[in-house]
Amino acid sequence: FYVGYSAALAALMIIQVLPSLTQNMQGIYLGAVTTGTAMMAWSGYRLWHILDEFFRAIWIEACALSCFISLPIGIILMATAKLGFTTSITAFDFFVWYQVIYLIAYSWVAGAKDPSMLSPLGMDDA
């Protein structure tokens, strides 16, 4: 999962930093996204059987909440760019913002389900 994720992020970063290589990077980017998607699906399948119900619920709720927040933001940004009000958002920008939203959503859901999960362990809890 992390190898595919890192490959897709690296391809997006190279496209963002070196736009002159965009034509040559399309195949590499497509391969990175395909590999990342396959690895993510395999990891999700494997994790689904390892995690207990509590962590599955947190994972599903955090993913759903972050998608629910990110999708309307992305649609609004694309519409404003089409109408000429703002510049268009790049895939890299959307990727980074989605990760920030996901981490916030995961922390919020985990803290709501079990507040002691987010506190540091004491010596007696170790």
Side-chain angles (χ1 to χ4, degrees):
F1 170 73
Y2 293 110
V3 172
Y5 186 80
S6 299
L9 182 61
L12 283 172
M13 287 177 68
I14 290 171
I15 289 170
Q16 183 76 17
V17 173
L18 303 170
S20 62
L21 295 177
T22 303
Q23 292 81 17
N24 301 334
M25 293 294 293
Q26 289 174 349
I28 294 171
Y29 176 70
L30 183 62
V33 169
T34 304
T35 304
T37 303
M39 293 177 81
M40 192 168 47
W42 175 250
S43 297
Y45 173 75
R46 295 286 304 216
L47 279 174
W48 191 258
H49 299 293
I50 294 172
L51 296 176
D52 63 355
E53 282 293 320
F54 180 72
F55 288 107
R56 278 190 232 168
I58 292 174
W59 188 20
I60 290 171
E61 288 178 29
C63 287
L65 184 61
S66 58
C67 288
F68 177 72
I69 293 169
S70 299
L71 196 58
I73 290 172
I75 290 170
I76 291 169
L77 289 175
M78 286 189 302
T80 57
K82 271 297 191 196
L83 294 173
F85 296 127
T86 61
T87 59
S88 63
I89 186 170
T90 63
F92 179 75
D93 296 335
F94 189 75
F95 194 70
V96 170
W97 277 111
Y98 176 79
Q99 291 307 310
V100 170
I101 291 169
Y102 175 78
L103 289 174
I104 293 168
Y106 189 88
S107 300
W108 184 47
V109 170
K113 288 202 173 280
D114 186 12
S116 66
M117 178 185 293
L118 300 178
S119 64
L121 294 175
M123 291 302 289
D124 54 338
D125 294 331

